[in-house]
Amino acid sequence: GESLSTAGPIPGHARVSSIMSSVVVATKAAPAIRRPVLSSGTAPRPSRPSHRIVTRRIERVPSASSSSVVASVGTVERREELKGIQTGFGRGGMPLKGGGTLAARLMEGSDVKIATEVMTESFRGSPDERPRARVAKYLLDQLESGPDEACLVGVDEASDEVVAVVTLSFSQAARGGADAAGSWGGAGSGARSLPSPADAPYLCNMAVRESARGRGVAKSLLCACDELVREMGGADIWLHVRLSDPIATGLYRGAGYLVEATEEKKAMMFFKQEGDGIALMRKELVPGGSNSIFA
C-alpha cells in the first residue's frame, strides 16, 4: 500500500505537521488544519493534523484581526507572478505501474470534495487522523492561500479522478511564523527541535487513495512538486517523516531526499506511539543554489 505521510506542515523554524507530509502510499506531511479561535481569544487545545506517510504539519490559527492567516511576503508584483506560475502549472502523461498515466495540477474548488475523501481515507486509523469536516476546512483554506502555499492534486488521466493530494508551503508566514505561539497554535513546520529553513519550500500532507496505491502515484506527484518548486525559484524541498514509517521513509529516499537530522523521544508530544520520532529530510534541486522564491 502507499499511505505516505510527511511529518511536516503540519511542520522553517517550524512545528511538525499533522496530517504529516505523508504520502499514504501504501504513506507522513497530512497538512495541518487550522483551528478556530475561541471567543475568549485563546486557541483550543491543539490536536494533531492528519497525514500518513512521512511528513507532518502543525495547524495554523487564524488571526482575530484579519481573515487572512498569512502575512504578505515579497512584492505585490512578485506575488502575482508566483500566483500565475502556480495557477498555470500542470504536468501530464506521467506513466504509472500497470498502465495509465497521472497528471498533476493545482487543486481547484471542484476537487475539494474528492480530495477530502482521499486525505481522510489515507489517515484513517493513524495518529494523524482528523475529522472529515476539519480536513475539508483545511483544503478549502488552501484555495485562498496562494502563493504562500500550493495544494497539488494527482489525477488519473484515464478516469479523470483525483487520486492523490499534497501541500507545499513557501514561506515561514504560511507555516505560522518562527515565533508563532510556540505550540500547536502556529503553523510551523516540524518539531521545534528540528526546524526546516524559514525560506525553504516545505512538503507535507501527501495522501494517495487506497485503490491507487502501488502504482507509483506518490513518486510521480513528488516529481511534479520538484518541477513547481524549480519554476518558482526554489532550490530544495524539506519535509519531516516518522522514523517508525519505513514505507514513507523509503519513498522519500527513493525520490532523492536525504536525512538531515533525526529526533527520537520516548513520549514525544507530537506522537502517540512510544519510541516514535521524526527525521528531517531534504532534497536538493539546484546544486549549490539558494531559495529566492519571493526575491
Side-chain angles (χ1 to χ4, degrees), residues 67-145:
S67 59
S68 174
V69 180
V70 179
S72 295
V73 179
T75 65
V76 172
E77 293 76 12
R78 179 54 178 164
R79 291 180 66 81
E80 287 303 313
E81 181 182 3
L82 291 173
K83 286 182 182 179
I85 292 173
Q86 292 175 357
T87 302
F89 179 79
R91 292 294 180 274
M94 294 182 283
L96 298 175
K97 296 177 183 178
T101 56
L102 186 80
R105 58 171 171 75
L106 193 68
M107 182 181 70
E108 301 172 350
S110 59
D111 300 319
V112 172
K113 181 178 180 180
I114 185 66
T116 297
E117 294 177 2
V118 171
M119 190 171 285
T120 301
E121 173 191 88
S122 296
F123 296 106
R124 184 174 294 126
S126 77
D128 299 303
E129 181 177 0
R130 288 294 175 274
R132 179 188 175 85
R134 193 171 180 185
V135 175
K137 176 61 167 59
Y138 167 79
L139 292 172
L140 284 170
D141 287 341
Q142 292 302 305
L143 297 175
E144 306 296 329
S145 63

Side-chain angles (χ1 to χ4, degrees), residues 12 14 189-196 240 260-264 268 278-280:
S189 49
R192 275 173 274 172
S193 59
L194 291 179
S196 59
H240 288 86
E260 295 290 321
T262 61
E263 178 181 73
E264 298 184 62
M268 217 170 172
I278 60 172
L280 175 65

Side-chain angles (χ1 to χ4, degrees), residues 5-219:
S5 95
T6 37
I10 282 191
H13 280 285
R15 286 170 280 281
V16 181
S17 358
S18 152
I19 297 181
M20 303 183 218
S21 254
S22 287
V23 163
V24 165
V25 141
T27 84
K28 184 180 172 199
I33 297 172
R34 305 180 187 175
R35 287 177 282 116
V37 173
L38 301 179
S39 58
S40 62
T42 60
R45 191 165 107 188
S47 59
R48 275 157 308 190
S50 60
H51 200 221
R52 247 193 212 186
I53 266 199
V54 192
T55 298
R56 235 183 34 171
R57 166 174 196 158
I58 289 181
E59 315 172 12
R60 293 172 297 183
V61 174
S63 166
S65 62
S66 170
S67 59
S68 174
V69 180
V70 179
S72 295
V73 179
T75 65
V76 172
E77 293 76 12
R78 179 54 178 164
R79 291 180 66 81
E80 287 303 313
E81 181 182 3
L82 291 173
K83 286 182 182 179
I85 292 173
Q86 292 175 357
T87 302
F89 179 79
R91 292 294 180 274
M94 294 182 283
L96 298 175
K97 296 177 183 178
T101 56
L102 186 80
R105 58 171 171 75
L106 193 68
M107 182 181 70
E108 301 172 350
S110 59
D111 300 319
V112 172
K113 181 178 180 180
I114 185 66
T116 297
E117 294 177 2
V118 171
M119 190 171 285
T120 301
E121 173 191 88
S122 296
F123 296 106
R124 184 174 294 126
S126 77
D128 299 303
E129 181 177 0
R130 288 294 175 274
R132 179 188 175 85
R134 193 171 180 185
V135 175
K137 176 61 167 59
Y138 167 79
L139 292 172
L140 284 170
D141 287 341
Q142 292 302 305
L143 297 175
E144 306 296 329
S145 63
D148 297 86
E149 291 183 284
C151 185
L152 298 183
V153 292
V155 181
D156 184 319
E157 294 189 294
S159 63
D160 197 31
E161 176 186 11
V162 171
V163 295
V165 59
V166 66
T167 301
L168 287 165
S169 61
F170 305 102
S171 70
Q172 188 61 43
R175 296 191 285 266
D179 302 311
S183 71
W184 285 80
S189 49
R192 275 173 274 172
S193 59
L194 291 179
S196 59
D199 64 345
Y202 184 87
L203 185 149
C204 70
N205 302 323
M206 167 91 82
V208 176
R209 168 145 275 180
E210 185 174 359
S211 60
R213 296 174 193 169
R215 301 177 61 199
V217 170
K219 184 176 181 179

Side-chain angles (χ1 to χ4, degrees), residues 254-289:
Y257 285 82
L258 300 177
V259 174
E260 295 290 321
T262 61
E263 178 181 73
E264 298 184 62
K265 287 187 178 180
K266 277 294 182 183
M268 217 170 172
M269 71 177 288
F270 295 115
F271 300 93
K272 292 182 178 179
Q273 300 175 327
E274 287 193 359
D276 203 355
I278 60 172
L280 175 65
M281 302 184 78
R282 168 183 180 258
K283 180 175 183 178
E284 184 177 53
L285 301 178
V286 181

Side-chain angles (χ1 to χ4, degrees), residues 78 81-82 85-86 88-91 225-234:
R78 179 54 178 164
E81 181 182 3
L82 291 173
I85 292 173
Q86 292 175 357
F89 179 79
R91 292 294 180 274
C225 288
D226 293 350
E227 293 185 41
L228 176 58
V229 169
R230 287 195 192 93
E231 289 189 19
M232 292 180 64

